[in-house]
Amino acid sequence: MTIALAAAAQDLREPANKVEYEPDALLFKKVEDYEVSDNNHQVITNKWKANWFVLANAGVNAFWGDKTDGSFGSRLSPQFNFGFGKWFVPAFGVKLQMTGFRSQADKYVQGQFTHGSATYYDKEGRPYWKERHKWWDINLNLMLNITRLIYGFEGYNSSHLKNQLIFSLGIGAVHSYDLGGPGKQNEWAGHIELQYSRFLNKSKALSIDLTARCMLYDTWFDQVLYHQQFDVNASINIGFTYYFKERGWNKTSKRYTYYYQDNMDQVNALRLQVDSLRHQQPDTVYIKGEGSRVVTFPYLVNFVIDRVEVANRERVNLRWVAEMMKETPDQKYVISGYADKYTGSPQRNMWLAIHRAENVYKVLTEEFGVPKDQLLLADYGGVDNMFYDDKQVSRSAIITRYEGQPLNTFKGQEPDYKE
């Protein structure tokens, strides 16, 4: 009876529950790395404590209300502004400000904000009065960094985008604190700002700002109603903004893990072993008794994909292998476990190889009585296609004569895996 080298075709179905494994650390080294995006518009939202700033500026504002007249210079008065805020992403942020403190103009009517009792006359002889209105305003604004919206975040300590244009839109609560008589002291105001910022260094910690601001009030703001929809304060301010650490944003990145072979001497030895198996001439052993039986070496025991149990059809043949071994008690044999490297991870394949060899060893010794000291174990993990360019043949344990050759084994260092 002749025992064939290749077993019958096996079930190629993948296991229902597939588990990911890391490669064995003895053969492969794990490296974790990051691939940073080169897209300036993709950043990681910063921590709550990052990108806070304080600002302060001062300038002049001009007031337009109902029945306002006079020269442009008569409308001008000082304005002060300070506040703080935070940028959540490079293009969008929020700030809270306090603005004040006075508006003035010449008016043809007397009102609650008329300053002094003097009466003045224009070139046509019409009387007018000086108006002075003291107020403060607390306002909350949404900010849009137009420059970064277009170009994205320039990166940390970058010399790019030192000139930036910022648009703000907000709402404020105004309080008039020198009302000369009965009237409305509190009012809502709309805020529109356009700010040019020039950063002074690459870290972008400090900028000089030029801000154009428009504040819109209900027409009753000056306590005079005369067919005008809004009262308006328009101002030009100059000041600075200081940005606290941490500044800027991290760009998005993709984390990935790869493995490389860390012990090339050992890997090359495995390749030589596989190549030796491809070209090894078979040994033939004749077993006397009950007819003529022939066993050839190397002898291959095939396994189902991702399994380590010895199939019954393999046990039938292993019985004759066991008889041959017992007929040659002075000869030692090696059982080498393998897996195909194209199916599982290196760590999983090492586990499969170890347990395939062990299970063949148990069948021969426990079921068929082969002396344990006649058998040696080796394991080689996932390998290239060893025979006929067929990866299913590599899912095997191979029995060969032991002639003193070095053996590869990871027994005692196998992956910690349980089915």
Side-chain angles (χ1 to χ4, degrees):
M1 175 178 176
T2 302
I3 310 298
L5 180 64
Q10 56 180 306
D11 186 1
L12 298 179
R13 292 176 298 174
E14 293 285 354
N17 297 319
K18 191 171 182 180
V19 186
E20 295 295 333
Y21 309 93
E22 293 184 353
D24 194 283
L26 294 173
L27 286 179
F28 294 86
K29 187 169 183 180
K30 179 179 179 181
V31 177
E32 291 187 350
D33 206 346
Y34 296 86
E35 181 180 354
V36 179
S37 171
D38 58 359
N39 188 337
N40 289 341
H41 291 88
Q42 294 181 353
V43 297
I44 300 173
T45 304
N46 57 51
K47 300 176 183 178
W48 176 251
K49 66 180 182 179
N51 292 303
W52 285 91
F53 60 86
V54 292
L55 62 93
N57 51 66
V60 293
N61 65 258
F63 177 70
W64 282 267
D66 296 87
K67 299 288 284 183
T68 302
D69 200 5
S71 65
F72 179 74
S74 66
R75 302 170 187 267
L76 300 180
S77 58
Q79 185 183 100
F80 303 97
N81 184 75
F82 58 91
F84 65 94
K86 171 180 172 61
W87 289 101
F88 294 100
V89 293
F92 296 97
V94 65
K95 64 180 176 180
L96 182 67
Q97 302 178 121
M98 184 170 183
T99 306
F101 73 108
R102 191 173 73 193
S103 300
Q104 65 183 34
D106 295 341
K107 284 203 170 185
Y108 287 112
V109 293
Q110 288 181 297
Q112 299 294 346
F113 296 109
T114 299
H115 181 67
S117 58
T119 302
Y120 302 87
Y121 297 89
D122 62 16
K123 294 179 180 180
E124 299 177 358
R126 293 178 299 178
Y128 67 89
W129 293 265
K130 299 287 185 180
E131 179 179 277
R132 183 173 294 175
H133 180 186
K134 294 181 179 179
W135 52 271
W136 52 257
D137 173 282
I138 296 177
N139 53 90
L140 182 66
N141 297 267
L142 297 177
M143 301 183 297
L144 173 66
N145 190 313
I146 299 172
T147 305
R148 283 177 169 166
L149 184 66
I150 297 172
Y151 297 103
F153 177 55
E154 65 277 15
Y156 290 102
N157 293 321
S158 172
S159 59
H160 298 292
L161 303 188
K162 284 189 174 181
N163 301 293
Q164 298 186 12
L165 196 62
I166 301 170
F167 174 77
S168 300
L169 185 66
I171 187 171
V174 186
H175 175 71
S176 299
Y177 60 88
D178 67 340
L179 191 63
K184 192 175 182 181
Q185 287 186 302
N186 301 311
E187 182 65 75
W188 293 105
H191 285 251
I192 303 173
E193 294 182 12
L194 187 62
Q195 175 180 309
Y196 164 74
S197 293
R198 169 65 183 182
F199 287 91
L200 302 182
N201 50 35
K202 293 194 297 184
S203 68
K204 296 186 172 62
L206 184 67
S207 67
I208 300 296
D209 308 320
L210 181 65
T211 305
R213 180 181 296 114
C214 181
M215 301 171 63
L216 303 174
Y217 313 93
D218 182 84
T219 188
W220 276 103
F221 175 70
D222 59 359
Q223 306 297 313
V224 176
L225 178 61
Y226 190 76
H227 306 301
Q228 183 167 309
Q229 190 171 2
F230 297 104
D231 291 344
V232 179
N233 261 318
S235 64
I236 295 290
N237 288 24
I238 188 168
F240 69 90
T241 302
Y242 177 76
Y243 294 84
F244 298 102
K245 293 182 178 180
E246 304 170 358
R247 309 180 194 101
W249 292 263
N250 292 323
K251 292 188 177 181
T252 57
S253 59
K254 180 180 179 182
R255 179 179 177 180
Y256 63 92
T257 302
Y258 66 90
Y259 303 86
Y260 71 88
Q261 292 173 327
D262 194 37
N263 189 340
M264 292 307 300
D265 291 340
Q266 194 171 47
V267 172
N268 290 331
L270 293 180
R271 289 173 177 166
L272 290 174
Q273 176 72 11
V274 171
D275 189 63
S276 173
L277 286 173
R278 286 196 182 103
H279 299 91
Q280 184 173 348
Q281 297 297 321
D283 296 325
T284 303
V285 177
Y286 295 90
I287 303 176
K288 297 179 181 179
E290 301 182 9
S292 178
R293 304 187 186 93
V294 180
V295 177
T296 59
F297 287 91
Y299 180 81
L300 183 143
V301 181
N302 211 214
F303 289 83
V304 175
I305 185 173
D306 202 49
R307 308 303 298 175
V308 297
E309 298 85 2
V310 180
N312 287 337
R313 64 175 179 271
E314 300 292 349
R315 280 182 159 85
V316 172
N317 295 331
L318 285 172
R319 173 192 171 191
W320 306 115
V321 174
E323 292 297 326
M324 177 275 300
M325 290 178 173
K326 289 186 286 186
E327 289 286 338
T328 55
D330 295 330
Q331 176 66 56
K332 291 185 182 292
Y333 298 90
V334 180
I335 306 171
S336 300
Y338 297 90
D340 77 278
K341 75 175 185 179
Y342 302 102
T343 301
S345 68
Q347 188 179 24
R348 174 63 172 170
N349 287 334
M350 187 59 67
W351 185 91
L352 291 170
I354 291 171
H355 288 81
R356 284 169 177 170
E358 284 185 344
N359 287 345
V360 172
Y361 174 89
K362 290 178 182 177
V363 170
L364 291 172
T365 57
E366 297 175 7
E367 293 188 29
F368 300 129
V370 176
K372 294 182 179 180
D373 61 1
Q374 222 180 331
L375 301 177
L376 301 171
L377 290 173
D379 35 76
Y380 294 91
V383 296
D384 286 316
N385 296 337
M386 295 191 293
F387 305 102
Y388 304 108
D389 196 28
D390 185 354
K391 59 178 176 287
Q392 73 178 12
V393 181
S394 297
R395 301 163 190 153
S396 62
I398 297 178
I399 304 172
T400 57
R401 289 173 175 273
Y402 179 62
E403 305 293 349
Q405 67 269 27
L407 301 179
N408 189 81
T409 179
F410 288 95
K411 181 61 180 172
Q413 304 173 35
E414 63 265 35
D416 184 15
Y417 170 77
K418 295 181 180 179
E419 293 191 283

